[in-house]
Structures are given as structure tokens and as C-alpha cells.
């Protein structure tokens, strides 16, 4: 069962089902392995072992940048010719490499075996490998999930990881009072802010998934209400429903209005009265509004184009439209989960083109024809578009920077206005 | 399976991308799963190219697996031709597509595209990036220049009248300083009256590749990428090739002699260069302190071997380690190592490189971006001499490694971190001063030193570092002289030694103490050890 969208004056009457342009062709996106770059920072005693090729290791190196030199808690078990030729049993090899990892890092409590395109095409059964390793290594929980490009796009790697965690969550006492589970990795600073706000509202107990430690997994049961903090958690949501948890429908906590509506959805589910809600959110909302005002000046009327990347595109576009008066041209998303976006889609203007999937050359043609003031895209497209005279904002930064909540609303807007300000200050061509 | 955190080289299809991205009028269709497009950003971000690489990916997904992927490949190849109208096309598979065994070459042939289509075999589970670049360039040369080769056994055609001409082979996209090296060597050859016919792969198109056979000889700038193709050109067109890579003053002079001989011209106009400053800079008294500085060199085979010669013969350093990550070019590295009395380290495992650097205790590391980070961790000065490199090593300014200007660049680049080291030494002399105290740490190198705000913690950390037997040190990390005990005055003296040789001094004293059976290391022991091991 899903609760209806929280009432909000800003929500337009849900109109007819929107048309979405679905495209197939070359997709200029990351695979789900990239999720490891932020997930391993979040779950502090987990290690992510990719079973893949040199390409996978090279991708992680390119995506993680300088972080790769800080003894990160991820690595790749590179499949070699002898593994493919059957000269070595790939399962034995994997067991050996996993043991090597655990011997080197005795502090690790949870080991994720992460599937890649090569490991999935040769049909290595990582779930069974995880079971085997669980039996062999005491004190370490071993889980498997897929981060392959054939199965997952960028942030979906977090979805498959959290989905693998859901069966591990302890069962909540059936008599326990209702609890709130906030789902989706958030920067610690954001998580702390939300925990304080929920506490002041009297909503709780509140737990977060993923937790900061493998040992601190939150319980789940029929009395759990979950609230998505990220829009790319389709499978995790389904897995939680499977354990009896119920979703609280809400837009995502981006911008002042997004954050307020998100908090209010939880507050309503807990029966928090309007007065108390106002008391709690008035001050941070006012701060956010003040921080946003100066950015609205820069973005008002600017046309914006989104290439698909993270599934954050629709909530971000809503924020740009509602709170900064930007003009949306096209909003591309790698995957559109209508259920989880039920409170976002009605807030978008009727004339914006929504596209799902990608044919990158056709999309570039549309982008060039529209000549938007600002284009959100990946790093492979950003400089080439800048060279064509289009201002861009590279999308991956929106995943690594704390952007959710009231206190970050100004920072989020700043991410969009900075390229425009830079375009205006440079006096050299 | 091999456990890897990072890799010196990407997979071979990235090598193929480096070749085509430097070129004009070619297009590469790569059969690859969704996600492999990450490689685009190496070119658009690290090299800061203003164009997308000329690569179309099929980006298949799980739902496409089965016979569908072959259709997907054909559609992608057809669309790519229609959209980009290249003069030649390459087709290949990345690691995952290699497993699903659609044959890109065969599939592309059935399309009957109106341009040459060259299939690439890129064995991803055996080979790497440099091999991929070399193979791609070789296939291009065979495929496009091959049809113009005289039949085997036929004499080389009479050379055309006019100045001698050569090809410059090997420069590619994402190559360390390739852009400026080409410029520098072109200028150098021009001073002898030698013209560059084609520089490839970077800067050339299929038509240029087709006329490679017209030049008198080939200059192999980067053997990692061009040697294979140059060998074939030698066989097919009777074009001799250069064997010396002009990095360093002496190597540049040797190269000039070699090129002049191949061209039949006088080397004199190129040998002397008023702008060459390395030899004088190196002789000036200010460089005296460079004498015998211990240096560890690691990189690709070509750059590492060249750097070793410069380090020893042109800078007066002592070579304490030399190695390369690309096994295919281990030979020149082994030869150079033998010449300078060290053992070559051929490895692509950064942990092995780190261990070798730690053991050699150098004062300067010359390497790739990985060594830069290793050196940073160890608190040693470092300069970058080879790919893989990060964005700052694709500079806006003119910064060749080759030729005489390259030698000037190298002198400045290598000495810079050492001057910093000297500064640290001077600061060390004032270490009783609170501003330069031991706890401040080596500022420029940002190494272990803890911030001054936590002097107590920093002091205990240093004690652990200096007292190997202290319990906080992880097991397995203890030197065999773990029972050595330092007297306080000896410890105080040890702290006065500059940070970049302190570790070595500590180890020497402990080894010396163990050899003499001394249980306590006193001030006396420290200086006895210094005399014993002193160079």
C-alpha cells in the first residue's frame, strides 16, 4: 500500500499521463560499478570486490580520481585468460582473492562481491560464491550484487547494493511502534540534519539505509514506513515492500520546497500537527529561501537541458523550474520509475520533453538545435559542448556533493549558476 | 584472477581509442556494453579535447544479449558511417563483447560500407593499452599503406628529387607530452633540411597513412606505439627507422647523428643549439648539491630508460632503482639497469613498486602519477616522467620531453622538487624554532607530519615511527632489528637529520647496532653507523 502524495499547494492537479520519448541507441552513461565510489565512503567497514576485467579496474580508477590513492576499500579481481580458458577454476580463484582481501584488511565486516559485465556474461554465480565465502570466513558477512553496465546505469549500482542488503536487515518486532526508514545514501552532514529535524518533529524512531556500519543495519517489518531520499531505488523499494514496509509518497528533498514536502509527508504519516511542523521548519526554510533568492536572479528564464545520467534529473528539473524559474527544454533520464516519481512528475510544466533511455547523437542534435543556456551532461560531453559555445554543468558532481535538505538548497543552486557566472566573467576567447 | 586497486595501463581498446582520437577522418565502432563510454572522459577531461573521440559504442544491455547484439552492432556501424562519413573505419570489441563472440570484422564486411573497414583483434584478457595502440596503428598502416607496397623482392623505387623526407611515428592522443615532442623534433629535423612527410597517428588521416611509403625513412618517436608499424614499413617499403629516442642531451645528439646518416645530410646544423641550457645549468656550482642524489626511476620502458641515462650522465645523480610496467619493453630497461649497476624491476603491481622505493630509500622519485602519490606518502620529492599522468601533465605551456628544449624542461622539472627538499633541509636547521618544529612536518610534500595543533599526538606518532618495537605498529611491519632501543639523545639527534634521509639513517643505525650486538643505540652508535655506511 502506498500513501497518497502529501498535499501541497505547489502541486498541480495530476493531469493526464505524460508522454515520454523512449529512445534506444548509444548511451553515454556510467555503469553501476561507479556507485562504489560513494558507497564505500558511506559504509565504513565494508569492502567492495569487483569481479571483472581490466576495463572495470580502469573505470574505477578514472571515476575515483585521487581517492584511489587513499587505500580505498574497493578493488577489482581481474579475470585473466587462464580463468576463461578453464585452466584455473574461476570459483577457486575468487575464493583465493577474497581471502587475500580479508587477510589484508582484518577490519572489514562486510564484503560485497560486485558483478560486472564480464562476470555476468560468463555466468559466474556470485551469489553462490558469497554463500561459500560466508561459510569459510567467520565474522564477515559476504553479499553479492550486480554493478554491471548490462544491468545497471550509474546510481542503479546503489539500488542493487541496497537491494542485496534488505534481506540482511533484522526483522522488526511485529508489536513495535511505527518506525521511519530513510532510504538512500546521503552525505553524513545531510543525514544528521534530517535526523535532527525528524527528532524535533517527533517523527521516529528514524533509521537510515545504508547505515554507517555493517553491524548497525536497521530493522524492518510491517510497521516500517520508508521514505526515499533518492529517486533511483526502484528495486530496493520493492524489496522493502516484500518485507512488509510501506512507502511514504513524497517528492525528493531537493530545494526548499522539495525538502519541506518530503518532511511533511513523513510528518503527516505520523500525525504531526501543522503548527508544530511550522515551528520546526520555519527557520531553516527561511534560510534556504534567502540562499536561493540570489541564484533565482541568475537562473530565472534560463533554458535548461538534461542529458540522462543518474535518475536525479526529474527532481532536479522540478527544483530548477519551481524554485529558480528556469525554463526546461528536455529532461532525459536513464530510467523513469513512475511510481516513485508520482509526486515529482505533476510538478513539471506541461511543455517539457521527457525522455527515457538515450540515442546520444540524436539527443545532441536536439540539444544543439535548442541551444540551451545550461546543459547538464556527463564529462564525456561537457567539454565538447563547451567548445561549441554551450554552457554545461557536469552531472556527476550532483551525486558527490551534499545537495539535499534546507541547508544545502543554496549550494545546489550554486552548482547550476556557477557555470553561467563563469561564462559571464571570462573576458577571453 | 589478479587483485588490483589500480592499473598502469587500461585495456587494449583504450589503446585503440588513443590512436583514432588523435587522427582525422577515421571512425571506430566498438562493440561494448553500456558503461564503457567512460573512456571518453579520459580524452575530454584529462587531455581537455574539445571534441568527442570518434568512437561509436554499441552499448548493449542485458536485454539485448543473444542474437540481438549482432544486429545492434550492424545498426551502429551503419549509423556511424551515415552520420560521420569517415574515410576509413575500424571495428573491434571490448572485453565483454569479446566474450559474446559476435565477429565485428565479419559483421562489418557484410554491410558493404563504401570505405575501408579494418577489423581489430584486441585480446582484452591478455594484453593492455600500449599493445592495443601498437596493434591498431599497425593494422591501420598495413590496411591503408599496404596496397601501395611494391611486390616482395622488388627494389626500392628511385627516391624523388628534393629534400630528404621522413615520417614521425607514434604520437597519439593521451600520450605524455606527445603534442610538443612532435613540434620539437620537427624543428630539429628541419635544421638539417629534413622534411616531415607524415606525422602519425596523431594529426594524420587515412590519406596520409596511405602515403607513408613515400618518405625516405621513419623516425620512431615512441616504440611502444610505433615500433611494430615501423618494422613492417621497413620490410614493405625498404624504409630504415631510427632506434634512438631523443630524450636527454646525449640521446638527442645520438639521434641527430642517426637521422642525419639515414637522410644522408650533415648533422652539424642541428647538433649545437644556443637554447640548450641543461649542460651549463648542470655544471653551474648551484647544481653541486645534486651530486650523488639517490634517484629511483619508474615508468614506461622508453621514458624510464631515457630518464636513467639523463639522471646519471647529465644530472650526476646516483641511480638506486629502475623499472617499467610494460613487460613488452623490459629489454631496454634491463640493459640500462645493467649499465648503471641496479636490478631492473619489471612489474605492473604498484605495491611492489612501493616496496622497492621504500627499500631503496631514494631522495628523488621519477615516475608516473602513481609514483607521485607513493612518494608523497613517503615524504620524498618526485617528478613525473611517464604516462599514466593526470590532467596537470597535459599543460597549456610548451613542455616537450624530447630534443634540446625537452632537456631544458627536464632539468627544471626534476630539480624543482629537490630545491624544495633543500628548503626543507634549511628549515630543519631551525627546527628548534617553534615555527619550524619537528611536528610541523614537511610542508610542501604534505607527508606524515601532523598539524601543530596536536603536538602530543604528533609526538607519540613520531615515537612509534622511530621506535619500531612500539605496540601501536601493525604486526608484520617491524624491521628485523625490532629489539633495538634508542637512547633519548640519539633519538633527538636523529630528528635533526633531514626528513628525506631520516628513515635510511634510522635503519642503518639499527642494522649497525644489530651487527655489533649493541642493545642500545646511543649518539655514538648513530655516528659510528654513519661512518660505516657513509658513501
Amino acid at each position: 500500500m502506498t500513501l497518497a502524495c502529501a498535499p501541497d499547494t505547489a502541486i498541480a492537479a495530476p493531469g493526464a499521463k505524460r508522454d515520454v520519448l523512449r529512445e534506444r541507441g548509444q548511451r553515454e552513461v556510467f555503469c553501476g560499478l561507479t556507485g562504489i565510489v560513494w558507497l564505500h565512503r558511506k559504509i565504513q567497514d565494508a569492502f567492495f570486490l569487483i569481479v571483472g576485467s581490466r576495463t572495470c579496474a580502469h573505470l574505477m580508477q578514472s571515476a575515483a580520481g585521487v581517492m584511489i590513492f587513499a587505500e580505498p576499500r574497493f578493488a577489482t579481481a581481474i579475470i585473466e585468460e587462464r580463468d576463461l580458458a578453464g585452466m584455473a577454476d574461476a570459483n577457486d580463484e575468487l575464493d583465493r582473492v577474497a581471502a587475500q582481501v580479508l587477510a589484508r584488511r582484518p577490519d572489514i565486516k562486510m564484503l560485497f562481491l560486485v558483478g560486472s559485465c564480464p562476470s555476468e556474461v560468463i555466468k559466474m554465480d556470485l551469489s553462490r560464491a558469497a554463500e561459500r565465502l560466508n561459510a569459510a570466513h567467520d565474522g564477515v558477512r559476504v553479499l553479492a550484487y550486480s554493478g554491471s553496465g548490462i544491468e545497471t546505469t550509474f546510481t542503479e549500482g546503489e539500488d542493487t547494493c541496497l537491494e542485496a542488503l534488505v534481506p540482511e536487515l533484522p526483522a522488526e518486532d511485529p508489536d513495535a511502534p511505527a518506525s521511519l526508514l530513510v532510504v538512500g545514501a546521503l552525505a553524513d552532514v545531510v543525514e544528521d540534519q534530517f535526523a535532527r529535524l525528524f527528532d524535533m518533529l517527533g517523527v521516529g524512531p528514524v533509521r537510515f539505509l545504508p547505515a554507517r556500519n555493517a553491524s548497525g543495519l536497521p530493522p524492518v517489518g510491517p510497521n516500517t514506513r520508508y521514505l526515499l531520499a533518492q529517486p533511483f531505488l526502484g528495486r530496493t523499494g520493492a524489496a522493502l515492500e516484500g518485507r512488509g514496509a510501506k512507502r511514504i509518497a513524497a517528492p525528493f528533498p531537493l530545494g526548499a520546497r522539495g525538502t519541506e514536502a518530503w518532511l511533511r509527508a513523513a510528518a503527516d504519516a505520523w500525525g504531526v500537527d501543522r503548527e508544530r511542523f511550522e515551528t520546526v521548519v520555519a527557520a531553516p526554510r527561511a534560510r534556504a529561501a534567502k540562499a536561493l533568492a540570489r541564484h533565482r536572479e541568475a537562473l530565472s528564464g534560463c533554458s535548461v537541458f538534461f542529458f540522462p545520467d543518474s535518475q536525479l534529473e526529474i527532481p532536479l528539473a522540478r527544483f530548477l523550474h519551481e524554485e529558480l524559474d528556469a525554463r526546461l527544454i528536455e529532461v532525459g533520464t536513464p530510467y523513469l520509475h513512475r511510481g516513485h516519481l508520482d509526486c515529482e512528475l505533476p510538478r513539471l510544466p506541461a511543455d517539457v520533453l521527457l525522455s527515457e533511455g538515450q540515442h546520444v547523437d540524436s539527443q545532441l542534435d536536439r540539444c544543439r538545435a535548442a541551444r540551451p543556456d545550461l546543459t547538464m551532461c556527463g564529462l564525456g560531453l561537457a567539454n565538447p559542448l563547451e567548445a561549441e559555445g554551450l554552457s554545461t554543468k557536469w552531472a556527476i558532481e550532483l551525486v558527490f556533493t551534499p545537495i539535499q535538505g534546507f541547508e544545502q538548497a543554496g549550494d545546489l543552486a550554486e552548482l547550476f549558476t556557477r557555470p553561467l557566472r563563469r561564462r559571464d566573467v571570462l573576458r577571453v576567447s | 584472477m589478479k587483485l588490483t586497486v589500480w592499473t598502469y595501463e587500461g585495456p587494449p581498446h583504450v589503446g585503440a581509442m588513443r590512436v583514432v582520437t588523435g587522427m582525422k577522418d577515421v571512425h571506430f565502432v566498438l562493440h561494448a556494453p553500456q558503461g564503457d563510454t567512460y573512456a571518453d572522459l579520459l580524452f575530454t577531461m584529462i587531455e581537455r579535447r574539445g571534441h568527442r573521440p570518434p568512437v561509436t559504442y554499441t552499448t548493449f544491455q542485458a536485454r539485448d544479449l543473444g542474437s540481438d547484439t549482432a544486429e545492434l552492432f550492424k545498426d551502429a556501424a551503419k549509423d556511424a558511417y551515415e552520420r560521420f562519413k569517415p574515410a576509413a573505419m575500424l571495428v573491434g570489441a571490448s572485453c565483454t563483447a569479446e566474450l559474446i563472440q559476435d565477429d565485428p570484422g565479419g559483421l562489418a564486411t557484410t554491410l558493404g560500407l563504401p570505405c575501408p573497414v579494418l577489423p581489430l583483434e584486441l585480446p582484452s584478457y591478455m594484453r593492455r593499452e600500449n599493445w592495443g595502440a601498437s596493434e591498431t596503428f599497425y593494422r591501420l598502416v598495413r590496411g591503408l599503406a599496404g596496397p601501395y607496397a611494391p611486390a616482395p623482392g622488388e627494389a626500392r623505387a628511385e627516391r624523388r628529387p628534393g629534400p630528404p623526407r621522413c615520417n614521425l611515428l607514434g604520437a597519439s592522443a593521451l600520450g605524455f607530452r606527445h603534442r610538443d615532442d612532435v613540434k620539437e623534433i620537427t624543428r630539429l629535423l628541419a635544421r638539417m633540411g629534413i622534411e616531415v612527410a607524415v606525422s602519425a597517428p596523431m594529426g594524420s588521416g587515412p590519406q596520409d597513412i596511405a602515403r607513408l611509403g613515400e618518405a625516405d625513412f621513419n623516425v620512431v618517436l615512441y616504440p611502444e606505439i610505433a615500433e611494430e608499424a615501423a618494422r613492417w614499413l621497413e620490410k614493405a617499403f625498404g624504409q630504415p627507422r631510427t632506434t634512438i629516442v631523443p630524450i636527454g642531451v646525449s640521446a638527442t645528439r645520438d639521434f641527430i647523428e642517426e637521422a642525419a646518416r639515414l637522410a644522408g645530410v650533415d648533422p652539424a646544423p642541428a647538433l649545437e643549439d644556443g637554447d640548450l641550457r641543461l649542460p651549463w645549468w648542470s655544471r653551474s656550482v648551484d647544481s653541486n648539491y645534486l651530486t650523488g642524489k639517490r634517484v629511483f626511476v619508474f615508468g614506461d620502458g622508453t621514458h624510464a630508460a631515457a630518464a636513467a641515462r639523463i639522471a646519471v650522465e647529465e644530472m650526476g645523480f646516483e641511480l638506486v632503482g629502475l623499472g617499467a610496467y610494460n613487460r613488452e619493453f623490459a629489454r631496454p630497461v634491463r640493459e640500462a639497469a645493467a649499465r648503471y649497476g641496479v636490478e631492473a624491476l619489471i612489474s605492473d603491481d604498484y605495491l611492489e613498486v612501493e616496496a622497492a622505493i621504500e627499500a631503496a630509500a631514494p631522495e628523488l622519485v621519477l615516475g608516473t602519477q602513481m609514483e607521485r602519490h607513493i612518494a608523497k606518502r613517503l615524504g620524498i620529492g618526485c617528478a613525473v616522467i611517464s604516462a599514466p599522468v593526470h590532467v596537470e601533465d597535459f599543460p597549456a605551456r610548451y613542455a616537450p620531453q624530447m630534443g634540446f628544449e625537452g632537456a631544458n624542461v627536464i632539468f627544471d622539472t626534476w630539480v624543482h622538487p629537490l630545491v624544495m627538499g633543500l628548503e626543507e633541509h634549511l628549515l630543519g636547521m631551525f627546527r628548534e624554532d617553534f615555527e619550524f618544529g619537528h611536528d610541523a612536518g614537511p610542508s610542501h610534500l604534505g607527508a606524515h607530519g601532523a598539524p601543530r595543533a596536536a603536538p602530543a599526538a604528533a609526538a607519540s606518532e613520531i615515537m612509534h615511527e622511530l621506535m619500531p618495537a612500539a605496540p601501536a605498529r601493525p604486526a608484520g611491519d617491524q624491521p628485523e632489528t625490532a629489539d633495538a632501543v634508542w637512547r633519548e639523545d640519539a633519538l633527538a639527534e636523529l630528528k635533526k637529520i633531514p626528513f628525506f634521509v631520516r628513515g635510511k639513517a634510522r635503519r642503518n643505525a639499527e642494522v649497525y647496532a644489530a651487527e655489533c650486538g649493541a642493545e642500545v643505540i646511543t649518539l655514538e652508535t648513530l655516528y659510528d653507523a654513519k661512518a660505516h655506511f657513509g658513501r
Side-chain angles (χ1 to χ4, degrees):
Chain A
M1 190 204 98
T2 297
L3 297 174
C5 285
D8 184 308
T9 48
I11 297 177
K17 201 174 171 190
R18 276 175 175 281
D19 285 333
V20 175
L21 173 66
R22 284 201 178 72
E23 280 196 302
R24 273 188 81 172
Q26 175 174 327
R27 297 172 66 126
E28 189 84 16
V29 289
F30 281 122
C31 65
L33 294 180
T34 337
I36 293 170
V37 176
W38 65 87
L39 282 171
H40 90 285
R41 302 314 308 165
K42 189 72 201 174
I43 315 175
Q44 291 163 7
D45 51 2
F47 194 100
F48 294 77
L49 180 63
I50 300 164
V51 183
S53 66
R54 182 166 302 277
T55 309
C56 307
H58 196 234
L59 156 81
M60 289 305 291
Q61 178 166 315
S62 311
V66 168
M67 203 190 275
I68 201 139
F69 299 100
E71 186 79 33
R73 278 174 284 102
F74 61 81
T76 308
I78 294 185
I79 299 170
E80 293 172 310
E81 191 72 12
R82 47 200 292 275
D83 301 303
L84 296 174
M87 283 154 69
D89 186 304
N91 289 316
D92 294 347
E93 283 289 292
L94 177 56
D95 292 0
R96 182 181 59 77
V97 169
Q100 203 181 338
V101 167
L102 295 174
R104 268 181 65 135
R105 298 298 302 263
D107 51 326
I108 294 307
K109 297 284 176 288
M110 185 171 270
L111 175 67
F112 287 101
L113 303 178
V114 189
S116 67
C117 304
S119 77
E120 279 165 24
V121 167
I122 62 173
K123 299 198 162 47
M124 269 191 83
D125 191 339
L126 294 188
S127 309
R128 280 191 43 199
E131 277 173 33
R132 208 167 56 231
L133 288 165
N134 268 320
H137 297 277
D138 277 346
V140 181
R141 185 78 186 118
V142 187
L143 298 173
Y145 75 89
S146 168
S148 72
I150 56 177
E151 291 281 359
T152 59
T153 305
F154 195 27
T155 47
E156 280 180 80
E158 177 173 330
D159 192 21
T160 46
C161 175
L162 300 189
E163 182 193 18
L165 273 176
V166 171
E168 302 297 309
L169 305 183
E172 198 174 38
D173 191 334
D175 302 328
S179 65
L180 179 66
L181 185 62
V182 177
V183 189
L186 293 166
D188 287 353
V189 58
V190 177
E191 196 177 295
D192 293 344
Q193 287 167 12
F194 285 153
R196 278 197 300 272
L197 286 168
F198 284 127
D199 186 48
M200 283 154 73
L201 287 169
V203 170
V206 180
R207 290 143 190 155
F208 293 86
L209 181 70
R212 295 183 199 184
N213 282 300
S215 50
L217 291 178
V220 68
N223 297 326
T224 307
R225 295 282 172 80
Y226 72 94
L227 184 59
L228 295 176
Q230 302 281 12
F232 42 74
L233 299 171
R235 300 180 219 217
T236 308
L240 287 168
E241 304 269 343
R243 304 250 344 231
K246 289 171 201 70
R247 171 174 169 255
I248 298 173
F252 292 89
L254 296 169
R257 289 162 81 167
T259 303
E260 182 179 354
W262 187 75
L263 290 169
R264 190 146 80 199
D268 287 351
W270 255 257
V272 177
D273 67 54
R274 291 273 144 165
E275 204 174 320
R276 181 168 186 183
F277 187 82
E278 269 307 306
T279 318
V280 172
V281 305
R285 186 179 58 201
R287 274 200 300 275
K290 196 174 158 201
L292 285 172
R294 115 188 122 86
H295 296 291
R296 190 175 304 114
E297 223 167 282
L299 269 166
S300 176
C302 279
S303 56
V304 182
F305 193 107
F306 279 87
F307 279 82
D309 193 57
S310 62
Q311 298 186 45
L312 278 162
E313 294 82 5
I314 287 174
L316 286 170
R318 180 263 303 156
F319 163 69
L320 284 171
H321 160 70
E322 267 186 358
E323 303 195 35
L324 296 167
D325 301 333
R327 192 161 59 80
L328 304 176
I329 297 174
E330 174 170 343
V331 182
T333 176
Y335 177 73
L336 197 153
H337 193 298
R338 283 185 184 275
H340 287 180
L341 291 173
D342 53 1
C343 301
E344 292 281 357
L345 290 169
R347 299 173 102 144
L348 287 179
D351 61 345
V352 58
L353 173 64
L354 295 183
S355 63
E356 184 184 9
Q358 190 175 29
H359 183 296
V360 73
D361 286 309
S362 310
Q363 198 168 26
L364 279 167
D365 288 345
R366 292 198 297 275
C367 179
R368 288 178 183 124
R371 297 218 49 95
D373 294 307
L374 187 63
T375 303
M376 244 65 63
C377 61
L379 291 173
L381 299 178
N383 268 337
L385 287 174
E386 290 279 350
E388 293 179 26
L390 294 174
S391 288
T392 62
K393 169 70 233 150
W394 40 286
I396 189 168
E397 198 178 4
L398 295 157
V399 177
F400 290 107
T401 315
I403 55 170
Q404 294 84 359
F406 287 126
E407 313 303 341
Q408 283 67 237
D411 303 343
L412 174 56
E414 160 99 30
L415 289 177
F416 296 105
T417 53
R418 196 186 299 133
L420 297 175
R421 208 167 72 230
R422 186 161 184 79
R423 178 194 64 189
D424 294 339
V425 298
L426 290 182
R427 288 280 174 271
V428 60
S429 60
Chain B
M1 270 179 210
K2 183 163 166 42
L3 183 62
T4 311
V5 175
W6 42 246
T7 75
Y8 284 95
E9 292 183 76
H13 72 259
V14 169
M17 289 180 65
R18 288 180 52 187
V19 168
V20 299
T21 301
M23 292 182 67
K24 298 176 288 204
D25 268 350
V26 289
H27 201 85
F28 182 28
V29 180
L30 183 66
H31 205 15
Q34 161 173 284
D36 279 5
T37 51
Y38 82 86
D40 281 0
L41 69 89
L42 302 173
F43 299 93
T44 60
M45 296 304 289
I46 295 180
E47 204 177 3
R48 261 188 265 244
R49 285 182 176 264
H51 295 278
R52 295 170 63 212
V55 182
T56 293
Y57 305 78
T58 53
T59 56
F60 55 84
Q61 294 175 270
R63 59 166 188 239
D64 304 316
L65 290 178
S67 62
D68 212 2
T69 53
E71 279 310 308
L72 208 62
F73 179 84
K74 287 204 275 191
D75 290 345
K78 231 168 10 203
D79 288 355
Y81 180 79
E82 282 308 315
R83 182 172 279 270
F84 300 103
K85 295 269 168 28
M89 212 150 93
L90 291 112
V91 296
S94 82
C95 52
T96 304
E98 188 183 337
L99 298 172
I100 59 175
Q101 297 181 334
D102 293 330
D103 166 25
L107 291 170
T109 311
T110 62
L111 294 176
L113 297 173
C115 74
V117 177
L118 305 168
L120 296 175
E121 290 290 336
L122 302 166
S124 306
Y125 298 90
M126 260 192 321
R127 306 291 190 172
R128 295 169 195 180
E129 180 178 330
N130 277 316
W131 187 90
S134 168
E135 172 71 7
T136 304
F137 187 43
Y138 168 71
R139 289 288 154 202
L140 269 163
V141 169
R142 276 206 72 156
L144 300 173
Y148 303 98
E154 216 169 287
R156 183 164 161 70
E158 192 77 6
R159 67 168 300 275
R160 300 183 343 170
R165 298 191 309 159
C166 68
N167 301 311
L168 296 189
L169 303 183
S172 75
L174 218 61
F176 176 62
R177 307 295 166 87
H178 287 196
R179 178 196 70 196
D180 297 342
D181 284 347
V182 165
K183 200 180 273 181
E184 190 63 19
I185 296 308
T186 303
R187 282 214 293 242
L188 191 130
L189 292 166
R191 288 171 53 189
M192 294 186 279
I194 302 171
E195 280 181 4
V196 171
V198 175
S199 180
M202 193 149 78
S204 66
Q207 290 81 358
D208 303 307
I209 302 287
R211 55 187 188 84
L212 279 177
E214 294 172 11
D216 298 307
F217 68 102
N218 287 315
V219 169
V220 177
L221 287 182
Y222 307 100
E224 269 85 353
I225 296 173
E227 183 135 302
E228 202 61 32
R231 270 178 209 280
W232 182 81
L233 287 166
E234 189 161 357
K235 217 166 60 188
F237 292 98
Q239 290 170 319
R241 65 198 154 93
T242 58
T243 57
I244 297 159
V245 177
I247 301 178
V249 177
S250 306
T252 300
R253 291 197 176 127
D254 294 349
F255 167 81
I256 291 169
E257 303 270 5
E258 187 183 39
R261 186 168 48 73
L262 295 181
V265 298
D266 180 9
L271 281 174
E272 286 316 316
D273 186 329
D275 289 331
L276 171 62
R277 295 185 194 90
L278 180 145
W280 167 241
W281 250 240
S282 207
R283 279 183 196 283
S284 80
V285 293
D286 191 47
S287 299
N288 243 316
Y289 80 99
L290 300 179
T291 317
K293 283 265 183 237
R294 301 163 56 80
V295 58
F296 188 100
V297 177
F298 195 85
D300 67 50
T302 300
H303 284 90
R309 182 174 182 187
I310 301 169
V312 175
E313 298 177 11
E314 300 175 17
M315 305 291 276
F317 294 145
E318 184 195 344
L319 192 69
V320 296
L322 176 62
Y325 56 79
N326 52 340
R327 216 160 278 282
E328 298 94 330
F329 281 78
R331 215 185 60 188
V333 176
R334 289 218 170 86
E335 285 168 3
R339 201 155 49 241
Y340 301 118
V342 294
E343 204 180 320
L345 170 69
I346 308 299
S347 170
D348 66 346
D349 184 343
Y350 73 100
L351 291 172
E352 251 181 83
V353 178
E354 185 173 78
I357 292 176
E358 244 179 320
E363 292 154 85
L364 177 67
V365 175
L366 302 174
T368 71
Q369 59 162 324
M370 280 71 165
E371 283 67 48
R372 200 158 57 83
H373 286 269
I374 290 170
K376 187 173 174 184
R377 205 176 70 76
L378 298 174
I380 308 170
C382 179
V384 170
I385 59 157
S386 159
V389 293
H390 211 59
V391 60
E392 64 271 22
D393 273 301
F394 286 92
R397 67 176 187 281
Y398 187 56
Q401 296 287 289
M402 291 185 176
F404 293 135
E405 184 56 25
N408 293 338
V409 168
I410 285 172
F411 183 92
D412 288 347
T413 311
W414 294 10
V415 167
H416 182 75
L418 285 176
V419 173
M420 295 294 185
L422 194 67
E423 281 175 15
E424 295 296 338
H425 191 165
L426 293 174
L427 295 182
M429 288 166 57
F430 298 105
R431 70 174 62 256
E432 303 311 319
D433 189 322
F434 76 96
E435 277 185 289
F436 301 115
H438 183 79
D439 301 339
S443 55
H444 297 289
L445 299 163
H448 307 307
R452 244 175 297 141
S460 81
E461 193 179 292
I462 287 153
M463 287 302 283
H464 288 150
E465 196 180 312
L466 295 176
M467 305 282 282
R473 253 184 117 76
D477 201 10
Q478 301 179 1
E480 58 265 68
T481 54
D483 49 354
V485 175
W486 285 76
R487 184 76 63 72
E488 205 159 305
D489 55 349
L491 209 52
E493 200 72 1
L494 186 66
K495 287 184 191 172
K496 295 178 191 164
I497 296 171
F499 69 92
F500 46 86
V501 284
R502 201 181 300 146
K504 181 92 175 162
R506 190 192 77 196
R507 217 165 326 148
N508 282 351
E510 287 170 359
V511 169
Y512 182 78
E515 278 175 11
C516 306
E519 281 168 17
V520 179
I521 297 174
T522 62
L523 202 55
E524 204 83 328
T525 326
L526 188 63
Y527 282 112
D528 284 348
K530 184 174 190 296
H532 180 75
F533 290 104
R535 46 176 150 88

